[in-house]
Amino acid sequence: MTQDTALIDATGTPEDAAAAPERKVFIKTYGCQMNVYDSGRMSDALASEGYVTTDDMEDADLVLLNTCHIREKAAEKVYSALGRLRETKKVRAAEGREFMIGVAGCVAQAEGDEIARREPAVDVVIGPQTYHRLPQALRRARIGERVVDTEYALEDKFEHLPDPTKTKGRVRSVTAFLTVQEGCDKFCTFCVVPYTRGSEVSRPLLQIVSEAEKLVADGVRELTLLGQNVNAWHGVDAAGRAIGLGDLLYRLAEIPGLARLRYTTSHPRDMDDRLIEAHRDLRMLMPYLHLPVQAGSDRILKAMNRRHKAAEYVALIERIRAARPDIALSGDFIVGFPGETDEDFRATLDLVETVGYAQAYSFKYSTRPGTPGADLPDHVPEEIKVERLARLQELLLKQQQEFSQSLIGRTIDLLLEKPGRLPGQLIGRSPWLQSVNVDANSSQIGDIINVRITAAGPNSLFAEVAEG
Ligand code: SAH
Ligand code: SF4
Ligand code: F3S
């Protein structure tokens, strides 16, 4: 997943920490966009403690790993990174210089005590629901306590975090993530998220609108609403009426200066009529939808507890396409779920052929201890998973390239995000989240311009400014 769009980087001295010695934190973010957002908010929280962020680990007084537990490999990475940090800590101790190690995110939540036991060099373990307490945890650690704070906090962390636009010196961005919902109640049998992120919680409407307004006032033009299951978001409006994500999008679309809206990640079961209407009515809601299906076989979908059939997913896509014909689809797939036969796998390929994806992520099933999938019979041998993944990825890549090629010669809107590699070149995002290089001397970052696509590379598109 792209993680470079909204990293909030604190590189100044915040006023309220003028008296504290300046310290530097290096944050390494693993996993999904939610972790990217959380890393930004943690750096805001640390700024009030006198920390500025650095992208040079050698220079850091605190290294914070914001971790992901979704697949075995993701979790393993944390322990190998900690092994290396332990060595750095020894060197720093010999120099008499402070070096603290913190572990945050989903591995912290799932294996907090285990981390503390296996890796004595770790000073602080902090969960995704408690990271507003990071400054206090560090203070406690500095006087010798080893802190594991992964209880679900009773208080709302968002009420205790500093305004994300107020961290002095942060690198401003024209795109931002905004978490509106956390946790998941779906319990797909392969997935750790309901255990690491807890049950579904929606942030209140006013809190979201207020954060969105602050971000827009700070120069943000495109907002991506985040949630592990974002289309399960629900709230109440000023009249006390129950509302869902569709209504939230209509409300946010009223913010002057905001040009684009996106949201991710959605579950097919929660795509309600109002949300589909929002795709029909709101031009600023980008015509791009990440709607994971995971598999194309009804037998496997059932075993995964996805609670819908393949044909229902395809019918849903048809309704969404009828509402917004230029919408492009993205998805997630798992191959080699326990019991998956060649025939089941073929059903996944068939579904991909039927839907036609502009972009997708695909993974080999990874057994996660504690999830129901781990106890299922008939685990698929690794070599079959490898072979199926290669076949699926070949098809998905072909579709992605076809989609990119289909844009050549077309004029599209581009939100300019950052300078390109060559002078005069800028990089922007297409409505379909593709990265586009354009020579645009007279335009500025934050502008939305009309460009004509001239070529499609493997990872990005090329364009020229369209006249008129
Ligand atoms: N909330 C999102 C996705 C969360 S995790 C949703 O419901 O779709 C992101 C993706 O990781 C999932 O969509 C799934 O494709 C993949 N994933 C989750 N658990 C996995 C596992 N045990 N093995 C392999 N891939 C997994
Ligand atoms: Fe995991 Fe399923 Fe929830 Fe997505 S919907 S986070 S895959 S349990
Ligand atoms: Fe990973 Fe946690 Fe996100 S497990 S995918 S970082 S919600």
Side-chain angles (χ1 to χ4, degrees):
M1 282 174 207
T2 46
Q3 301 201 335
D4 59 351
T5 45
L7 270 178
I8 298 166
D9 189 11
T11 47
T13 309
E15 283 137 325
D16 57 355
E22 184 177 286
R23 296 189 174 99
K24 291 190 175 150
V25 56
F26 174 84
I27 305 182
K28 169 88 183 144
T29 307
Y30 303 85
C32 63
Q33 290 100 326
M34 183 79 81
N35 266 11
V36 175
Y37 174 84
D38 289 345
S39 289
R41 300 303 305 258
M42 284 193 275
S43 79
D44 297 337
L46 289 169
S48 64
E49 199 61 12
Y51 280 97
V52 296
T53 63
T54 171
D55 46 22
D56 178 8
M57 205 189 77
E58 294 303 315
D59 203 26
D61 308 288
L62 165 66
V63 171
L64 189 60
L65 305 179
N66 193 10
T67 62
C68 173
H69 201 241
I70 202 84
R71 285 168 288 276
E72 195 178 352
K73 273 219 181 87
E76 272 170 9
K77 276 187 199 160
V78 176
Y79 289 101
S80 48
L82 286 176
R84 291 191 298 274
L85 291 173
R86 187 199 319 132
E87 295 310 309
T88 310
K89 193 168 188 165
K90 275 188 205 150
V91 174
R92 289 290 185 84
E95 292 168 356
R97 187 175 156 197
E98 180 178 283
F99 186 71
M100 297 180 90
I101 303 174
V103 183
C106 292
V107 182
Q109 187 64 44
E111 302 179 12
D113 292 324
E114 160 102 5
I115 294 169
R117 191 179 55 74
R118 268 175 68 174
E119 198 42 85
V122 170
D123 300 282
V124 167
V125 177
I126 197 120
Q129 301 310 333
T130 41
Y131 64 69
H132 56 293
R133 299 185 195 147
L134 198 49
Q136 296 92 304
L138 288 169
R139 261 178 259 145
R140 282 160 60 196
R142 206 165 277 126
I143 51 172
E145 192 185 339
R146 291 194 72 213
V147 184
V148 178
D149 189 358
T150 55
E151 292 296 308
Y152 287 107
L154 287 176
E155 72 275 13
D156 175 359
K157 69 170 178 263
F158 295 108
E159 299 282 358
H160 294 264
L161 285 165
D163 176 345
T165 63
K166 286 284 179 316
T167 305
K168 225 177 164 186
R170 69 196 269 279
V171 174
R172 293 167 71 206
S173 169
V174 294
T175 61
F177 290 143
L178 200 179
T179 293
V180 301
Q181 178 280 336
E182 290 190 276
C184 184
D185 294 340
K186 292 282 187 290
F187 290 94
C188 302
T189 54
F190 51 81
C191 186
V192 294
V193 170
Y195 312 96
T196 60
R197 292 280 176 161
S199 54
E200 267 172 31
V201 179
S202 295
R203 289 179 71 185
L205 176 69
L206 289 181
Q207 207 186 58
I208 295 166
V209 172
S210 155
E211 187 169 328
E213 285 173 345
K214 282 180 192 150
L215 289 166
V216 173
D218 198 48
V220 167
R221 307 229 53 212
E222 174 181 299
L223 271 181
T224 301
L225 309 185
L226 297 182
Q228 269 87 25
N229 192 8
V230 71
N231 58 349
W233 182 86
H234 57 276
V236 280
D237 66 9
R241 195 174 55 102
I243 56 170
L245 186 69
D247 302 285
L248 175 63
L249 289 164
Y250 281 96
R251 172 66 189 85
L252 293 174
E254 290 169 13
I255 297 177
L258 183 60
R260 287 179 163 192
L261 279 167
R262 304 178 185 275
Y263 63 92
T264 197
T265 293
S266 300
H267 192 287
R269 293 263 306 193
D270 292 322
M271 285 303 299
D272 62 19
D273 291 347
R274 185 72 174 146
L275 187 49
I276 297 175
E277 278 166 28
H279 280 284
R280 183 195 63 199
D281 296 343
L282 300 174
R283 289 296 99 185
M284 67 193 290
L285 180 56
M286 291 295 98
Y288 180 81
L289 176 62
H290 184 65
L291 194 63
V293 66
Q294 315 295 353
S297 146
D298 286 342
R299 217 173 58 81
I300 296 299
L301 286 170
K302 189 161 198 291
M304 286 177 162
N305 192 32
R306 292 291 291 183
R307 290 183 284 169
H308 64 78
K309 297 208 159 90
E312 288 164 346
Y313 177 82
V314 172
L316 173 64
I317 300 287
E318 280 169 10
R319 281 174 56 219
I320 298 166
R321 280 190 167 140
R324 184 78 198 243
D326 62 343
I327 204 158
L329 268 296
S330 155
D332 291 345
F333 296 89
I334 295 177
V335 300
F337 187 77
E340 186 187 72
T341 63
D342 281 341
E343 197 183 329
D344 292 320
F345 174 62
R346 218 166 305 125
T348 298
L349 296 177
D350 288 348
L351 182 137
V352 171
E353 291 279 9
T354 306
V355 172
Y357 288 89
Q359 206 270 339
Y361 303 94
S362 47
F363 313 96
K364 288 180 288 176
Y365 171 71
S366 168
T367 307
R368 307 310 288 127
T371 61
D375 301 325
L376 289 175
D378 303 325
H379 278 252
V380 174
E382 177 66 15
E383 61 275 17
I384 295 184
K385 287 188 200 169
V386 169
E387 196 250 329
R388 286 182 186 163
L389 186 66
R391 282 176 64 194
L392 176 61
Q393 289 188 336
E394 191 185 337
L395 175 59
L396 290 168
L397 188 64
K398 181 172 134 278
Q399 293 191 340
Q400 183 183 330
Q401 285 168 348
E402 281 168 2
F403 179 68
S404 297
Q405 295 287 334
S406 75
L407 295 172
I408 295 176
R410 276 185 58 188
T411 299
I412 66 165
D413 282 350
L414 197 63
L415 169 59
L416 298 172
E417 275 186 20
K418 56 185 176 190
R421 238 181 273 152
L422 302 173
Q425 209 177 54
L426 292 172
I427 299 177
R429 291 267 167 197
S430 79
W432 306 281
L433 216 52
Q434 296 140 305
S435 182
V436 183
N437 293 276
V438 63
D439 287 318
N441 274 321
S442 56
S443 303
Q444 289 181 0
I445 288 171
D447 288 351
I448 294 180
I449 61 170
N450 265 322
V451 301
R452 192 165 25 256
I453 303 296
T454 53
N459 300 312
S460 57
L461 301 174
F462 298 87
E464 59 191 17
V465 176
E467 276 133 46

